[in-house]
Amino acid sequence: MHTRLGSSKKMVENLAFSAILSNKRQYNPDFYNWNRVKVRYCDGSSFTGDVEAVNPATNLHFRGARIWLAVMQELLAKGMRNAENAVLSGCSAGGLASLMHCDSFRALLPMGTRVKCLSDAGFFLNTRDVSGVQYIKQYFKDVVTLHGSAKNLPRSCTSRLTPAMCFFPQYVAREIRTPLFILNAAYDSWQIKNILAPRAADPYGKWQSCQLDIKNCHPSQLKVMQDFRLEFLSAVIGLGRSSSRGMFIDSCYTHCQTETQTSWFWQDSPILNRTTIAKAVGDWVYDRTLFQKIDCPYPCNPTCHHRVFTPLDAPPI
């Protein structure tokens, strides 16, 4: 509630649209002339929460699902119901949201609309941290419980698994019927910092230098990260091949690649199979080419833009 991620009062009023949201053809060749809407994020549950009670001490509301529905109703009324093409996309928690709400978004639009979903850096992996603890599993369980998310998670998953497990894309995405594109770094910097080596599992800060810059990683840490990549790829491949599912899994140390111009479409953007992210996604959306590629292991891809953080960057969860 004290940052832009928890309150609209903390958000900037004007937000620059770049990369996949750009209205300049040279920066966004396939989507520059689309109607583009940025749904600001402040609910903490990828728009799945719905709790009637309000915490009297903090006045916190956990009603992300109602925010989602209100936004969709307004957009439909403003003309989205007449769309010929519609893409639901987002990065990080927004990438998770675009995946979780993919089929329900499709159901809002007429049968004749071509609807697709793009999840950027939203494929959070259920795995153990470096101390052997299932940290992220407990964290997601706490989120689902706090927000009352269970009833708003895909029933195709909750009919088989616990609601907490159904917050992980690896257990949900197989059942998504709407065409889905998974864009993710195999060494997702957020996941390395918050799932693989969270502060609770690294009390002495042995991973801090590595997390700030992958070039600082000790060989033993790189081995752990390579194992994480293999587990991540296993989860993605485990979804099964689909003629409608796109995939761009690069070997960059980064997080979110559709909303940054240099990673989306630039002279030196990351390339996989001689293809930029923008072209891979555009070809998939317009049914020109089905892109399903996985990069070779770090440090094989010289086109990667590896993120370098400072100790002052937002602390991990």
Side-chain angles (χ1 to χ4, degrees), residues 18-20 90-92 118-122 181-189 248-266 269-272 276-278 281 295 301 303-307:
S18 63
I20 195 173
C91 85
S92 196
L118 166 60
S119 175
D120 174 15
F181 195 104
I182 297 172
L183 166 63
N184 228 102
Y187 308 89
D188 186 292
S189 55
F248 191 111
I249 310 295
D250 57 30
S251 288
C252 309
Y253 184 67
T254 189
H255 182 66
C256 287
Q257 300 180 86
T258 58
E259 296 182 7
T260 304
Q261 193 63 55
T262 52
S263 54
W264 173 249
F265 190 71
W266 203 246
S269 291
I271 290 174
L272 194 49
T276 62
I277 294 169
V281 172
D295 208 352
N301 190 339
T303 69
C304 272
H305 293 181
H306 300 299
R307 288 283 302 275

Side-chain angles (χ1 to χ4, degrees), residues 1 12 22 31 41 45 65 69 72 74 86 111 116 127 157 187 230 236 238 268:
M1 62 186 290
V12 295
S22 174
F31 307 111
Y41 177 73
S45 71
L69 185 58
M72 291 301 109
E74 180 169 351
M111 289 289 290
K116 299 191 175 185
T127 187
C157 181
Y187 308 89
L230 291 176
V236 173
D268 62 345

Side-chain angles (χ1 to χ4, degrees), residues 10-142:
K10 303 292 183 179
M11 295 176 182
V12 295
E13 290 189 15
N14 296 306
L15 192 69
F17 275 25
S18 63
I20 195 173
L21 296 175
S22 174
N23 63 356
K24 302 283 194 302
R25 188 171 190 169
Q26 66 266 38
Y27 301 138
N28 189 26
D30 279 313
F31 307 111
Y32 73 96
N33 59 351
W34 283 41
N35 292 303
R36 289 148 290 112
V37 177
K38 172 84 170 181
V39 181
R40 302 300 294 272
Y41 177 73
C42 68
D43 85 297
S45 71
S46 291
F47 302 113
T48 62
D50 193 356
V51 177
E52 189 64 37
V54 178
N55 186 318
T58 62
N59 197 35
L60 283 175
H61 294 63
F62 300 104
R63 300 176 182 172
R66 300 188 195 186
I67 297 173
W68 164 263
L69 185 58
V71 171
M72 291 301 109
Q73 289 174 339
E74 180 169 351
L75 292 177
L76 288 166
K78 287 181 178 294
M80 190 170 72
R81 67 175 77 254
N82 302 317
E84 295 179 12
N85 295 284
V87 173
L88 178 66
S89 71
C91 85
S92 196
L96 179 61
S98 66
L99 192 149
M100 293 293 182
H101 293 281
C102 185
D103 282 342
S104 61
F105 178 71
R106 172 70 188 86
L108 294 171
L109 293 156
M111 289 289 290
T113 307
R114 174 161 47 186
V115 180
K116 299 191 175 185
C117 304
L118 166 60
S119 175
D120 174 15
F123 203 95
F124 300 106
L125 184 67
N126 179 26
T127 187
R128 294 180 184 274
D129 63 31
V130 292
S131 70
V133 173
Q134 293 180 298
Y135 176 82
I136 194 64
K137 181 179 178 181
Q138 183 60 48
Y139 184 85
F140 276 8
K141 182 179 179 181
D142 292 343

